[in-house]
Amino acid sequence: MNLQKNRQLINFMLLHSYSLTNSGLMFGKSGIALCLFEAARFFEYEKLEEYGLELLQEAIAWETSDYSFQNGKAGIICVAEYLIKNEFIDADLQELCGEEINEIICYIKRLEKKQANISDCIGFLAFLFMIERQISQSDFDDIYQLLVSILNDYFVEFPASAFHYKLFYIYSSIILGFGNAIEGKKKYCLTQIIDSIINKSNEMSMDCVCDNLSYAVNLYIYGKKYKHLKAIYIGERALEIITDNIIKETLNLKQLMEFPLILKQLSSYKKILIHYIICVAHWAIPISI
């Protein structure tokens, strides 16, 4: 792909990064640093690595009491670990962020179950899997059990409103994505949480129509991967409803950007899901052009 065609976007990221006061992963400098490292490798343009490294150093040195994955230290550490693991930078995570890792571990252990933010807990779960090699097995087990307990309590409760229905499907999609990705970690599989999600989804289908395509796809893939018949059935039913009724003009930018990835995921099951692939392709192809 030609670098010049994407230069405007890269320049925007560079200019925008210098005006940011946040260094987090989702909306801050470390997220842009990650994009620049990937772009540098993809376009074979080393100058972008220099900009990315500068932003990463600023993010790591950032003073904040926010430990979250989305906006705080947990996400920044995950960016550093990803870059080290994939040989973008030559560094030792403990030397870079050892003190911050210990701070986050202590913070998570002090979480109050009834007051914990579900989005933060899902982010901490991602953080935990990313830095597993950096902490003791006892710390990993303690934090894992705490987060699973908090999340399972959330997913067994019936959503209180239409807004909470939407949150349920968003959070469920992320957890199902974890379940599809951590195949090798059988000891720490998310079976308990995902079973709660599937059972609750089955109950909710009587009162609510799911419009979250990412959730439907992840649920279907989980069902096929682990031969979970109920997950396959609910996932197929949700996919059929969504693809038959969704209107492209009502979709937000995030949903439109997800379609090429979803199309790729569905292509592995094309013999069964050819109808859904055609529908998603109809939305995705104009966007990808």
Side-chain angles (χ1 to χ4, degrees):
M1 191 178 292
N2 192 323
L3 173 61
Q4 295 305 317
K5 291 183 179 179
N6 295 274
R7 192 75 199 193
Q8 186 175 2
L9 176 58
I10 292 171
N11 286 340
F12 171 79
M13 287 194 297
L14 288 170
L15 290 171
H16 184 55
S17 67
Y18 292 109
S19 66
L20 291 173
T21 57
N22 183 290
S23 290
L25 169 58
M26 296 298 292
F27 305 106
K29 292 182 180 181
S30 61
I32 293 179
L34 177 59
C35 292
L36 291 175
F37 273 104
E38 291 282 8
R41 179 172 290 183
F42 185 79
F43 294 115
E44 300 180 349
Y45 186 54
E46 292 184 6
K47 190 67 176 176
L48 295 179
E49 282 190 6
E50 297 177 17
Y51 293 131
L53 183 59
E54 181 181 334
L55 289 173
L56 179 64
Q57 290 170 334
E58 289 182 26
I60 291 173
W62 184 43
E63 294 290 336
T64 180
S65 58
D66 188 338
Y67 295 107
S68 71
F69 180 81
Q70 291 90 340
N71 301 306
K73 290 185 177 181
I76 296 170
I77 291 171
C78 287
V79 170
E81 169 64 6
Y82 175 86
L83 294 174
I84 293 169
K85 184 177 180 180
N86 290 279
E87 300 181 345
F88 285 96
I89 59 175
D90 182 12
D92 181 272
L93 189 65
Q94 279 294 335
E95 291 181 5
L96 279 180
C97 309
E99 184 176 339
E100 288 79 4
I101 290 174
N102 291 332
E103 288 178 9
I104 297 170
I105 294 302
C106 291
Y107 175 80
I108 298 173
K109 285 183 174 182
R110 295 196 301 268
L111 287 176
E112 296 278 345
K113 285 186 65 174
K114 292 185 178 180
Q115 299 176 354
N117 180 284
I118 298 304
S119 180
D120 284 349
C121 287
I122 294 173
F124 287 138
L125 196 60
F127 166 78
L128 188 64
F129 284 124
M130 283 292 289
I131 55 96
E132 179 181 4
R133 296 175 300 170
Q134 307 295 329
I135 62 176
S136 68
Q137 188 64 49
S138 61
D139 278 343
F140 184 95
D141 290 342
D142 289 346
I143 293 172
Y144 178 83
Q145 292 301 328
L146 173 62
L147 294 175
V148 166
S149 177
I150 292 171
L151 293 171
N152 193 59
D153 286 349
Y154 170 80
F155 285 113
V156 296
E157 292 292 328
F158 211 88
S161 66
F163 172 74
H164 291 96
Y165 274 97
K166 287 187 176 294
L167 284 181
F168 176 91
Y169 288 125
I170 290 170
Y171 295 153
S172 296
S173 177
I174 298 170
I175 295 294
L176 288 164
F178 285 170
N180 293 335
I182 60 172
E183 184 175 3
K185 301 179 184 295
K186 293 182 180 178
K187 183 179 178 182
Y188 302 110
C189 65
L190 302 172
T191 303
Q192 184 181 5
I193 299 175
I194 292 177
D195 281 347
S196 296
I197 289 172
I198 293 169
N199 291 332
K200 190 57 60 180
S201 297
N202 194 43
E203 294 178 36
M204 289 167 55
S205 64
M206 305 300 293
D207 301 305
C208 173
V209 175
C210 172
D211 62 355
N212 189 313
L213 184 60
S214 177
Y215 159 82
V217 171
N218 277 326
L219 180 59
Y220 178 82
I221 291 174
Y222 179 86
K224 294 295 290 184
K225 188 172 185 178
Y226 297 105
K227 297 179 173 59
H228 196 301
L229 296 181
K230 187 182 286 187
I232 295 172
Y233 171 73
I234 298 171
E236 278 189 329
R237 186 171 59 183
L239 278 168
E240 182 178 356
I241 293 171
I242 292 168
T243 54
D244 284 349
N245 294 283
I246 204 163
I247 301 172
K248 184 173 70 173
E249 287 72 20
T250 67
L251 299 173
N252 60 41
L253 181 60
K254 178 179 179 296
Q255 290 171 318
L256 291 171
M257 291 176 67
E258 284 178 342
F259 281 155
L261 175 60
I262 290 173
L263 182 63
K264 183 177 180 181
Q265 290 177 299
L266 289 179
S267 65
S268 300
Y269 303 95
K270 58 186 176 183
K271 290 183 180 179
I272 300 173
L273 295 177
I274 188 65
H275 166 69
Y276 309 128
I277 292 171
I278 292 171
C279 290
V280 175
H282 173 71
W283 305 326
I285 290 173
I287 302 305
S288 60
I289 294 174

